[in-house]
């Protein structure tokens, strides 16, 4: 674990400098001014002290077994290996390489990185960075500001991790501006050793961390991220933002990280599967974190609004309703109570409008009533501070109720902060998350409910079908692979589908017209005949497809026509049972680097091509996920039946989708696989065409 | 015009009070402390002075012809009529009724409101409110704080108007917090006389106003709003937010305004037609206003980014690309220049990454180059303030370039404001809009470009078809109306469509089977026969529809069947040419209170029912709007041709849509009208069924 990194006994800075505007000086300054509880050891060959702290000529001059848990390296990259050796000798546990000049600059820097890592492994040193800002731990027992940035955080409950120093710092500043306290901060730049998943795991264990915030431009180790995030997110919220979502954004990201941003859908699926809350707006993320950091998680989506001004409640209502939240009516008991306690003109419904003249007692009475009312899981307050009431008293009542931590409270505080400092301070002290704008408050509430929904959602279980011929399918694949084929033949594809008990239209391959006629009789008319040859790619363009053949002579004629058009040596004829008209759907699977396959489901034809009405999920699919994928398309009423139409066999579709999931999970060699189309009928489904690419 | 309201020579307050926490005291305080340039006249029967200002027993005691342009009424509603009489005698020009107790409380208050308006009309007094905050004018020549709120605005260029005082105040506070200056502020509560359109018109004329912000929960006088906003928005941006968009939000709005929020689509169409920028997030609106208030409008959508940190540029790139903006490459000349002037490791592309160590000179050189580069219409800056560079100098260079007002600049300033006050002040002084977060900056840029796009868009012209029988159609309508019919018969509907040269399937009504057979022969087989009677509403449910009849005997059999099933006295038979299969589309029109008809277009069947793939527009339609409506549906590739299919006759569809627009505009009695379905073919379109409700 990273305990010695985030809670170092002593910190040394190799490259500590007397020059005020240098990083080697700034780190000493930050450690001193933030009140680091451990020892600070500037290493500088010349200066006797840095910022009033005794300096040493070399790290080797420090007392042996001095418990140097963290060493900052602020020296040119080429000197790093030497410093690593020295650190190893001194039993240093972690090295934060703040300097750049490593892999981000090219092969030479990459070589130095490798050398450093070899030395680190030899001595058991963990490496943070290089090309990074470092860490901060605001724990009063530690106060470790091992970082050269300029944000001075308050002690709090939000922990923040990001490769990108610029974004980490930007988010951190906003927390500071909003007076939201930080617990741990970690920005690890090139991240050659200590990774984001490892840091998230640590933050998950850290008792002082209530919410974890992360920013990514791509996921380097998707599988590890998924595993860690899943475990942690079950205990505390992880809020993530993935940028580089547009082609241009990804390019901008690539140009400053040297990496290529991963496809979006993929990251989103990982976030979803892990239970990570995904944000596309950093402001929403920051404000949600503020809410999570001091308020309990709501048990459900039912919000009660208390306001002393009308319009802002309307705005937040719009935001929350669009976010899937509910605004139930007040219980009869609450109504009775509030009719007694509020101003006579007050609006005793949800939103409860106390009126601008409401006092602290009115606020308190409404808060108590809604806290006690089982109709509500959380409370949104809109609080404007008119000059003619005692706003300090109102703030005290809100803060007092918030401290009980019964149901979450989020407050839209509308005030001139420079004139109501006491109000602001009281609410902050009571842990009431305050936002200037009603939409911002609404989105923060939506995020809290989204986390609860995510945490409590039924994810189902991945059921393994026993009636599959995994070995048989693997053999077909291996044979194709050995033969150097990338695209499997129709025969091979059918063999694999049959092995997994996926219903396919009956078929067989015939070398001649005579054989084809026999086969057709066997399968039963009407049939389809398709030319089969490795030389032709687009069968219909080559005139290699004949549909709806009802008779022997039709089959013979079709084959004659194909023979006259297609002069391939390996020409054979694929005879398949002709399917009547039904609803066309498609399924697909695509291998993703390092994390199995992404599955796709949609309606066929123009629905997928024009309306892009498709859903995605990561394999292996649980029963719930399969059902959600099929029910998740906009056109799903077509599946369940619409305008008196009967609908199709949805359970059979789920069955095929789950078998496909098992198939690609069993056979990771499959790069891409399509079942297109699958014809769905009222009582069955049938794959008509399929493609496998290895 | 409202000049005397916003620039009053003298202001009297009837109901001025010595009690500090009263509105009648607060207004005097605000006028005094804000430095009102005119005379202040507290009216109070007892106090000799209020807040050090000489008070008068009655308004009648003031010098005659004293130029009292504005009187505040802060007295109980029931005393208002008397005060109105007094004001009339004193030739008061405007009365701001701050007090409540009028129509918002019920019929009694409504009566008082009416009485007041009668007196006001008699004396030519304009009334602002009641139940409102009032106005503010920050013009140094006026400094009129005729308002009891507590926000102290800086002088600036944003003008703000809203019925809702709570939202107006909330927005105003946020401007103040962001140090964005206000020009005019107006919150007019019940708005019984001076309306929002009138105020927007005034703000449009006001030279000191560069951008107008408005918040609405419904549009009371939609036609006037549209007219005014259209004129004003061509000159300066109007930024609007409509709340109460969800059913629950509308209910919350209704409960505090007493009015019912209008349907959303309708408001959005008015905003679009007027060229008003519509927002659903007040934060985005506020930040856009900040940008408009000091920066020129961009000439196009091409943005150049300059940054001294990587990640935030990625985030804003995502936001702007999603907003339809472009990030073109640097011109060769710019590249050449920047390779000379920037740090060697700087990234000379778009985004230009100057690196954290960049100086003011580097920023200046990049800014100058991009201002000079014809590839760009605007510049986005990401500026983090590292401790090791001279940030004040960087700020000076940015401010200096901003002052030239060549192309708009928007800045994402990432700093600890409490420690970089000088940087913040310099940028503000240079009119550089600064936002804490890259997404916020990106959205502000999107809004500026959206305004430019809106202002420069081709709206086309409404062409009037001459070949229509308006009088004939009107006669059919009148006849139905006189007969007391709400739903027109098929015959009547066909008559009206034919009068407007809208292609309908050939048809006629026959009283008997014999006549029907003759008619069918006339029209040409195959035909459709439908039972026609005022007694049946759902024809197909009643067994009153027979499709695809190819022969005389088929027609006779169908009619026999209908006669045996339907026993209506007025039963007749509607015989119509049977249309072959084509693409089904639908069009509709719906009358909206006070502003003509809303038109609808979509693909038929499941596309409209399940996928809700429809577009709307207000009649009368210009050619461009008709084309946009048809091209705007997601399924539009089905119209233009897809997968080798030929597509349908789109110009013919546009023609029908424009004729429909003219028809409902000519005949405002039509409440609702549907053409459903219209069958579209490759070379023509044909209305098969239609419905008109008056």
């Amino acid at each position: 674990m990273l305990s010695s990194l985030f809670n170092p006994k002593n910190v040394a800075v190799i490259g500590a400098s007397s020059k005020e505007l240098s990083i080697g000086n700034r780190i000493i300054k930050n450690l001193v001014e933030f009140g680091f509880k451990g020892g600070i050891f500037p290493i500088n060959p010349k200066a006797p002290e840095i910022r009033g702290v005794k300096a040493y000529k070399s790290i080797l001059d420090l007392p042996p077994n001095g418990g140097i848990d963290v060493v900052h390296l602020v020296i040119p990259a080429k000197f790093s290996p030497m410093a690593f050796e020295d650190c190893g000798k001194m039993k240093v546990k972690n090295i934060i390489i703040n300097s750049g000049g490593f892999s981000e600059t090219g092969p030479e820097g990459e070589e130095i990185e490798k050398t450093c890592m070899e030395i680190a492994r030899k001595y058991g040193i963990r490496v943070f960075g290089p090309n990074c800002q470092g860490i901060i731990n605001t724990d009063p027992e530690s106060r470790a500001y091992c970082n050269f940035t300029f944000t001075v955080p308050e002690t709090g409950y939000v922990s923040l991790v990001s490769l990108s120093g610029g974004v980490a710092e930007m988010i951190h500043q906003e927390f500071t501006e909003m007076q939201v306290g930080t617990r741990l901060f970690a920005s690890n730049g090139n991240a050659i050793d200590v990774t984001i998943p490892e840091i998230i795991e640590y933050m998950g264990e850290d008792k002082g961390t209530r919410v974890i915030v992360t920013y990514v431009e791509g996921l380097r180790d998707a599988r590890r991220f998924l595993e860690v995030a899943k475990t942690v997110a079950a205990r505390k919220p992880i809020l993530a933002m993935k940028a580089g979502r547009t082609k241009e954004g990804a390019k901008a990201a690539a140009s400053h990280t040297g990496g290529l941003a991963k496809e979006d859908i993929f990251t989103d699926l990982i976030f979803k599967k892990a239970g990570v809350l995904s944000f596309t707006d950093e402001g929403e993320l920051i404000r949600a974190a503020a809410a999570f950091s001091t308020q309990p998680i709501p048990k459900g989506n039912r919000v009660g609004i208390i306001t002393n001004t009308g319009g802002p409640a309307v705005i937040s209502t719009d935001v929350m309703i669009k976010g899937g939240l509910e605004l139930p009516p007040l219980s009869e008991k609450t109504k009775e109570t509030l009719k007694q306690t509020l101003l006579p003109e007050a609006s005793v419904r949800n939103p409860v409008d106390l009126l601008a003249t409401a006092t602290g007692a009115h606020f308190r009475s409404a808060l108590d009533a809604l806290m006690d009312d089982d109709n509500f899981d959380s409370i949104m307050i809109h609080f404007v501070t008119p000059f003619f009431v005692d706003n300090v008293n109102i703030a005290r009542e809100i803060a007092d109720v918030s401290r009980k931590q019964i149901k979450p409270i989020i407050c839209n505080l509308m005030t001139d902060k420079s004139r109501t400092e006491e109000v602001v301070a009281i609410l902050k002290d009571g842990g009431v998350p305050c936002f200037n704008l009603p939409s911002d408050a609404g989105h923060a509430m939506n995020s809290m409910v989204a986390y609860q929904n995510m945490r409590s959602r039924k994810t189902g279980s991945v059921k393994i079908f026993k009636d599959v011929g995994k070995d048989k399918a693997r053999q077909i694949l291996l044979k194709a692979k050995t033969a150097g084929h990338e695209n499997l033949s129709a025969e091979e594809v059918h063999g694999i589908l049959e092995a997994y008990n996926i219903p396919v239209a009956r078929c067989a391959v015939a070398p001649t017209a005579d054989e084809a006629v026999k086969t057709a009789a066997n399968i039963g008319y009407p049939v389809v005949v398709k030319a089969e040859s490795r030389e032709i790619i687009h069968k219909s363009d080559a005139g290699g497809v004949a549909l709806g053949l009802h008779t022997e002579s039709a089959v013979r004629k079709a084959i004659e026509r194909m023979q006259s058009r297609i002069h391939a040596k390996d020409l054979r004829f694929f005879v398949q049972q002709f399917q009547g008209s039904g609803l066309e759907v498609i399924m697909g699977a695509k291998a993703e680097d390092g994390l199995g396959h992404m599955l796709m489901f949609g309606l066929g034809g123009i629905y997928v091509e024009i309306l892009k009405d498709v859903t995605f999920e990561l394999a292996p699919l649980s029963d719930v996920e399969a059902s959600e994928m099929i029910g998740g398309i906009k056109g799903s009423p077509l599946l369940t039946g619409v305008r008196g139409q009967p609908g199709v066999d949805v359970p059979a579709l789920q069955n095929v989708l789950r078998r496909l999931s098992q198939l690609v999970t069993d056979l990771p060699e499959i790069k891409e696989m399509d079942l297109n189309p699958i014809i769905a009928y009222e009582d069955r489904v049938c794959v008509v065409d399929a493609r496998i690419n290895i």
Side-chain angles (χ1 to χ4, degrees), chain A:
Chain A
M1 288 297 277
L2 303 174
S3 181
S4 61
L5 172 68
F6 282 102
N7 296 279
K9 235 179 302 178
N10 297 305
V11 174
V13 179
I14 299 181
S17 163
S18 303
K19 282 196 290 177
E20 262 208 33
L21 296 187
S22 72
I23 288 174
N25 184 281
R26 185 72 179 200
I27 295 174
I28 303 292
K29 175 178 147 81
N30 283 344
L31 282 164
V32 171
E33 291 186 356
F34 202 63
F36 176 49
K37 299 292 179 185
I40 308 173
F41 298 95
I43 309 295
N44 182 302
K46 288 173 202 161
E49 57 83 28
I50 310 276
R51 295 251 176 203
V53 182
K54 178 181 169 15
Y56 295 79
K57 288 201 189 319
S58 157
I59 191 161
L60 299 171
D61 295 344
L62 297 188
N65 304 317
I68 305 291
D69 288 336
V70 167
V71 165
H72 285 273
L73 280 198
V74 196
I75 53 175
K78 61 181 171 184
F79 300 133
S80 303
M82 211 167 62
F84 263 71
E85 280 290 353
D86 290 352
C87 287
K89 283 170 197 152
M90 295 300 289
K91 301 200 160 43
V92 166
K93 291 184 181 156
N94 304 279
I95 295 178
I96 298 176
I97 314 180
N98 297 101
S99 309
F102 293 85
S103 59
E104 82 280 6
T105 59
E108 205 171 323
E110 207 178 324
E111 207 46 53
I112 302 176
E113 244 178 43
K114 270 189 200 158
T115 309
C116 288
M117 269 315 298
E118 276 162 25
I119 303 169
R121 275 192 210 100
K122 185 170 75 183
Y123 290 106
I125 301 171
R126 297 305 308 272
V127 184
F128 192 91
N131 187 26
C132 77
Q133 288 180 349
I135 65 107
I136 304 174
N137 183 356
T138 69
D139 184 344
E141 304 292 306
S142 173
R143 307 284 299 164
Y145 202 120
C146 298
N147 193 312
F148 61 85
T149 52
F150 56 87
T151 304
V152 184
E154 292 184 42
T155 301
Y157 308 103
V158 183
S159 288
L160 175 57
V161 55
S162 152
L163 295 183
S164 162
V167 175
E169 183 66 356
M170 177 267 289
I171 294 176
H172 206 202
Q173 277 160 21
E174 191 65 6
F175 280 134
T176 303
E177 174 131 347
M178 291 171 66
Q179 298 190 294
V180 171
T182 306
R183 170 73 179 185
L184 304 172
F185 173 101
S187 179
N188 54 341
N190 296 8
I192 58 171
D193 179 20
V194 175
T195 62
I196 290 213
E198 195 176 1
I199 296 168
I200 289 179
E201 191 170 31
Y202 179 77
M203 291 171 169
E205 298 287 336
D206 176 49
K207 288 208 169 56
T209 296
R210 291 195 194 159
V211 48
I212 300 166
V213 167
T214 186
Y215 166 86
V216 300
E217 287 167 2
L219 290 177
R220 293 205 188 162
D221 185 354
R223 185 180 290 276
R224 181 94 185 95
F225 181 92
L226 174 56
E227 281 165 11
V228 167
K230 209 169 183 174
T231 311
V232 173
R235 280 199 307 267
K236 53 183 90 169
I238 303 175
L239 283 47
M241 174 155 169
K242 151 96 168 72
R245 282 179 174 270
T246 58
K247 207 179 68 200
E248 291 81 353
K251 236 167 73 186
S255 84
H256 87 99
T257 61
L260 189 67
K262 278 247 176 183
E263 215 182 323
D264 258 8
I265 300 166
F266 183 57
T267 312
D268 285 338
L269 290 177
I270 292 171
F271 286 168
K272 188 182 155 210
K273 202 138 189 159
V276 167
L277 282 183
S278 174
F279 292 79
T280 53
D281 183 282
E282 68 280 10
E284 277 183 28
L285 176 150
I286 289 164
R287 290 182 292 266
F292 281 115
S293 80
T294 57
Q295 291 294 313
I297 307 294
K299 294 211 164 60
N301 72 342
R302 302 162 311 153
V303 186
I305 300 183
I306 298 172
T307 182
N308 65 348
T309 174
V314 177
I315 295 176
S316 74
T317 298
D318 279 350
V319 170
M320 292 191 291
I321 294 293
K322 281 182 193 165
L325 276 52
E326 286 175 37
L327 266 71
L330 307 177
S331 73
E332 287 308 316
K333 190 182 153 204
T334 299
K335 274 190 209 160
E336 279 314 305
T337 308
L338 296 185
K339 272 177 195 159
Q340 302 296 322
T341 56
L342 300 186
L343 292 169
E345 304 82 14
S347 183
V348 180
R349 63 176 81 183
N350 188 13
V352 182
D353 192 342
L354 305 173
L355 304 183
T357 44
T359 63
H362 296 127
F363 268 91
R364 180 56 182 254
S365 142
L367 279 164
D368 283 343
L370 266 60
M371 281 292 173
D372 201 44
D373 188 332
D374 287 339
N375 281 5
F376 303 105
D377 302 306
S378 60
I379 297 176
M380 160 82 61
I381 301 173
H382 296 278
F383 173 22
V384 68
T385 56
F387 66 89
F388 42 72
V389 294
D390 183 351
N391 293 300
V392 167
N393 190 35
I394 295 176
R396 279 209 191 96
E397 296 294 356
I398 298 174
D400 192 46
V401 174
S402 163
R403 274 196 200 90
K404 296 178 199 281
Q405 298 268 312
I406 304 167
K407 296 173 184 174
I409 293 178
I410 286 178
C411 180
N412 165 217
L413 175 64
M414 295 164 283
T415 193
D416 180 346
K417 284 179 198 159
S418 64
R419 285 151 192 259
T420 55
E421 282 176 7
E422 205 182 344
V423 167
V424 173
I426 290 168
L427 291 171
K428 177 178 183 290
D429 199 51
V432 181
C434 290
F435 305 105
N436 296 356
L437 302 174
S439 285
D440 290 352
H443 285 296
M445 186 67 91
N446 287 353
S447 296
M448 292 193 90
V449 175
Y451 175 65
Q452 167 59 14
N453 289 346
M454 212 156 210
R455 200 173 54 163
S456 62
R457 78 193 193 278
K458 290 204 175 68
T459 49
S461 56
V462 181
K463 284 190 204 133
I464 305 292
F465 294 96
K466 305 287 183 194
D467 61 346
V468 303
K470 182 173 162 183
D471 291 339
K472 194 191 152 198
R474 178 170 297 285
Q475 273 165 22
I476 297 175
L477 264 194
L478 280 178
K479 213 177 124 195
K481 205 173 169 184
T482 316
H485 300 151
E486 280 187 6
N487 291 300
L488 267 58
S489 71
E491 219 173 344
E492 288 161 345
V493 171
H494 275 72
I496 289 175
L497 292 178
E498 274 166 6
Y500 273 79
N501 255 328
I502 293 174
V504 259
R506 293 182 65 194
C507 62
V509 173
T512 61
D514 287 342
E515 286 292 325
V517 165
K518 272 186 215 161
T519 305
N522 218 0
I523 289 172
Y525 285 99
V527 297
V528 176
V529 173
K530 292 180 194 167
E532 171 84 0
S533 158
R534 295 207 182 276
E535 289 176 33
I536 45 172
I537 294 171
H538 296 291
K539 285 174 193 153
S540 26
D541 293 355
V545 178
L547 302 171
L549 309 176
H550 284 75
T551 59
E552 188 183 318
S553 74
V555 169
R556 286 190 189 279
K557 255 187 215 155
I559 286 179
E560 271 163 31
R561 236 186 345 260
M562 287 179 197
Q563 281 168 330
S564 72
R565 282 182 195 166
I566 304 168
H567 305 283
K569 277 185 210 153
D570 62 346
L571 185 64
R572 294 186 306 163
F573 306 96
F574 184 78
V575 184
Q576 187 180 36
Q577 192 175 27
F578 179 70
Q579 297 296 315
S581 67
L583 190 66
E584 277 191 22
V585 307
I586 63 171
M587 296 181 192
K590 193 166 175 287
E592 291 291 338
D593 249 16
L595 198 79
H597 290 78
M598 187 159 79
L599 299 171
M600 190 265 271
F601 172 78
L603 292 171
I606 63 133
Y607 292 97
V608 54
E609 284 175 28
I610 296 171
L611 303 172
K612 317 281 180 213
D613 187 15
V614 290
T615 52
F616 297 94
E617 194 53 84
L618 293 176
L621 282 190
S622 76
D623 44 0
V624 171
E625 288 167 333
S627 151
E628 283 173 355
M629 271 186 82
I630 291 172
I633 59 169
K634 290 197 202 84
S636 68
L638 288 175
L639 298 173
T640 48
V642 66
R643 300 177 105 191
Q645 302 281 335
V648 304
D649 190 349
V650 173
L653 283 175
Q654 290 172 4
N655 185 37
V656 172
L657 194 52
R658 285 168 50 209
R659 283 174 185 274
L660 174 64
S661 157
Q662 184 170 334
L663 192 163
V664 292
T665 307
D666 284 349
L667 306 169
E669 300 89 343
I670 294 179
K671 263 198 206 154
E672 269 190 273
M673 175 161 178
D674 288 328
L675 310 182
N676 180 10
I678 303 167
I679 312 282
Y681 304 94
E682 204 177 332
D683 56 350
R684 68 184 179 99
V685 304
C686 181
V687 176
V688 170
D689 205 356
R691 203 173 52 81
I692 293 177
N693 179 276
I694 54 175

